[in-house]
């Protein structure tokens, strides 16, 4: 059986960057350890637990190099499974990435995915479009989404209209953690399609719901999308009710949606210390959910995928990456990603294969025995053969498009066009920080990657003018 990611691993070590900043000691020792598949119980399909952090930067976990943030639960999850160093989000902002996770397709395949991010009631995920939830539901799974939806508002859009049996969470992209006032200025915590009143710290509320769900006696395998808003702004942690009340008062006094956004952005608040507190609370929340999963007896045959919806923001620890949320430099799209499945995947493994959000949709569908809808072909590649049988992934391009930028990765090479329209070429194996522009030295390769980007872009919906 081929060793895990040997080709890519060698190239990255040659660059001398990744292991210095993104590897825990245990992970580094196991960097070339091969995948070893173990037979699952006969006929047993796994439960699927997909956990998203919100605006969590690539190096914000201690297992990814953060020197000041302690994330023991997520580090333990990484030791028990596979930690991906070259994993990417489907886009550089919240809702487009969620479109790519739910549909397994580029965000630009659907009208709602063109918003960066969704900001009004007219936009959303078409309820007729097949989703990860609707497809595994057809295959016999129970489905639930707890936390941030951000793919449209009522009355036209909701998780329960797109394949999830249950929904508990917020419809919008951001909310004040205590009052639950959201980006449209109104209350935004719902159970199904009905408002649910709970003014406690939102991460705590979501954690309790997730603990209850995974601890149930389930008659069928299940999919749970657990979407935390932590550590997205406003910069509030447990115990910050007074600051939250001040933000809520600004929201109530706002005379426009723009003023609501300014209040929620909390530009006059936050700090590295506060952000650290929020990330560590996210880690504790994930730990509680994983403990509940273990107590339920379902841990062995549950696939857990942890990732972020996009790159980090102003307080994130992103070294050595350039850029942050909203742009297609590495800091805006490279995200921490961990996969664990005790029944089939050995722990203490590190993968340097380039993967992105739509790949996880394709992977989870295959593991669940669900079939994609042929009328809506996936843009992601299933990683099941790679994870379970050590098969090599095919050569392919990872593609991103946002209004301001374009990017494409092929192997270790990355084509990037900045917001001024200038083209750049980077060798990520040697230059993770994207500072040595090789476009003048490799014009043929630049032209080849640019042509590939344009070929894919031509199949997507145009941005509205």
């Amino acid at each position: 059986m081929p060793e895990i990611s040997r080709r890519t691993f060698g190239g990255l070590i040659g660059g001398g960057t990744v292991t210095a900043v993104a590897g825990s000691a245990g992970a580094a020792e196991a960097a070339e350890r091969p995948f070893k598949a173990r037979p699952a119980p006969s006929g047993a399909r796994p439960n699927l637990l997909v956990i998203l952090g919100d605006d969590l930067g690539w190096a914000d976990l201690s297992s990814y190099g953060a020197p000041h943030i302690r994330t023991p639960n997520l580090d333990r999850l990484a030791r028990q499974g596979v930690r991906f160093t070259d994993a990417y989000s489907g886009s550089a902002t919240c809702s487009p990435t969620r479109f790519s996770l739910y549909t397994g397709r580029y965000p630009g395949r659907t009208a709602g995915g063109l918003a960066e991010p969704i900001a009004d009631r007219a936009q959303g995920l078409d309820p007729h479009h097949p989703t990860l939830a609707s497809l595994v539901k057809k295959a016999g799974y129970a489905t639930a989404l707890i936390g941030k939806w951000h793919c449209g508002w009522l009355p036209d859009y909701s998780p329960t209209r797109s394949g999830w049996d249950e929904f508990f969470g917020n419809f919008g992209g951001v909310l004040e953690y205590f009052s639950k006032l959201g980006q449209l200025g109104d209350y935004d915590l719902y159970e199904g399609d009905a408002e649910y009143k709970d003014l406690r710290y939102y991460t705590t509320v979501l954690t309790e719901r997730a603990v209850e769900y995974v601890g149930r006696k389930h008659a069928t395998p299940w999919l749970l999308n657990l979407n935390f808003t932590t550590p997205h702004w406003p910069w509030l942690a447990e115990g910050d009710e007074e600051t939250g009340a001040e933000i809520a008062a600004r929201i109530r006094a706002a005379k426009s949606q723009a003023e609501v956004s300014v209040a929620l952005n909390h530009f006059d608040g936050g700090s590295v210390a506060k952000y650290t507190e929020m990330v560590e609370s996210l880690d504790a929340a994930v730990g509680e959910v994983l403990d509940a999963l273990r107590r339920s007896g379902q841990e062995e045959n549950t696939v857990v995928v942890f990732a972020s919806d996009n790159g980090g923001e102003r307080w994130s620890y992103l070294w050595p990456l350039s850029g942050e949320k909203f742009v297609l430099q590495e800091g805006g799209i490279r995200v921490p990603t961990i996969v664990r499945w005790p029944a089939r995947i050995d722990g203490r493994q590190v993968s340097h294969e380039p993967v992105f959000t739509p790949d996880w949709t394709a992977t989870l569908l295959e593991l669940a025995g669900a079939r994609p809808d042929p009328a809506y072909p996936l843009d992601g590649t299933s990683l099941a053969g790679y994870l379970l049988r050590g098969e090599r992934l095919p050569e392919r391009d990872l593609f991103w498009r946002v209004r301001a930028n374009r990017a494409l990765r092929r192997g270790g090479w990355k084509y990037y066009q900045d917001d001024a329209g200038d083209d750049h070429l980077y060798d990520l194996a040697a230059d993770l920080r994207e500072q040595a522009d090789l476009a003048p030295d490799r014009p043929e390769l630049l032209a080849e990657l640019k042509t590939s980007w344009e070929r894919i872009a031509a199949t997507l919906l145009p941005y509205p003018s």
Side-chain angles (χ1 to χ4, degrees), residues 2 25 27 36 43 72-73 94 105-106 110 112 172 218-219 223 351 367 371:
K36 294 181 180 178
N73 296 292
C94 302
R105 311 174 80 207
Y106 300 129
T110 60
H218 291 273
L223 161 71
S351 172
L367 296 180
R371 294 174 179 252

Side-chain angles (χ1 to χ4, degrees), residues 12 58 84-91 97 100 307-311 321 328-337 352-360 396 398-400 407-414 428 432 434:
L12 286 171
W58 177 69
F84 286 78
T85 64
D86 288 42
Y88 294 89
S89 55
S91 188
T97 292
S100 70
S308 179
D309 62 343
N310 48 249
L321 308 183
L328 296 178
Q329 290 172 290
E330 292 293 286
I333 52 176
R334 193 181 284 225
V335 294
T337 301
H352 306 296
E353 287 288 344
V355 299
F356 74 150
T357 301
D359 293 338
W360 298 115
R396 66 208 176 107
L398 301 187
F399 168 94
W400 298 269
L408 182 139
R409 176 166 175 171
R410 178 181 296 172
W413 291 99
K414 181 177 177 182
L428 294 179
L432 195 60
E434 296 173 288

Side-chain angles (χ1 to χ4, degrees), residues 117-174:
I118 283 181
D120 63 60
R121 295 186 187 277
Q123 305 163 316
L125 176 57
D126 182 352
H128 298 99
H129 195 296
T131 64
L132 170 64
S134 68
L135 293 170
V136 300
K137 185 175 180 178
K138 286 183 180 178
Y141 275 65
T143 58
L145 191 150
I146 296 174
K148 176 174 169 176
W149 164 239
H150 205 187
C151 286
W153 280 270
L154 295 172
D156 297 322
Y157 308 105
S158 170
T160 57
R161 290 163 167 76
S162 289
W164 283 270
D165 299 320
E166 302 178 31
F167 169 58
F168 179 85
N170 59 302
F171 284 99
V174 58

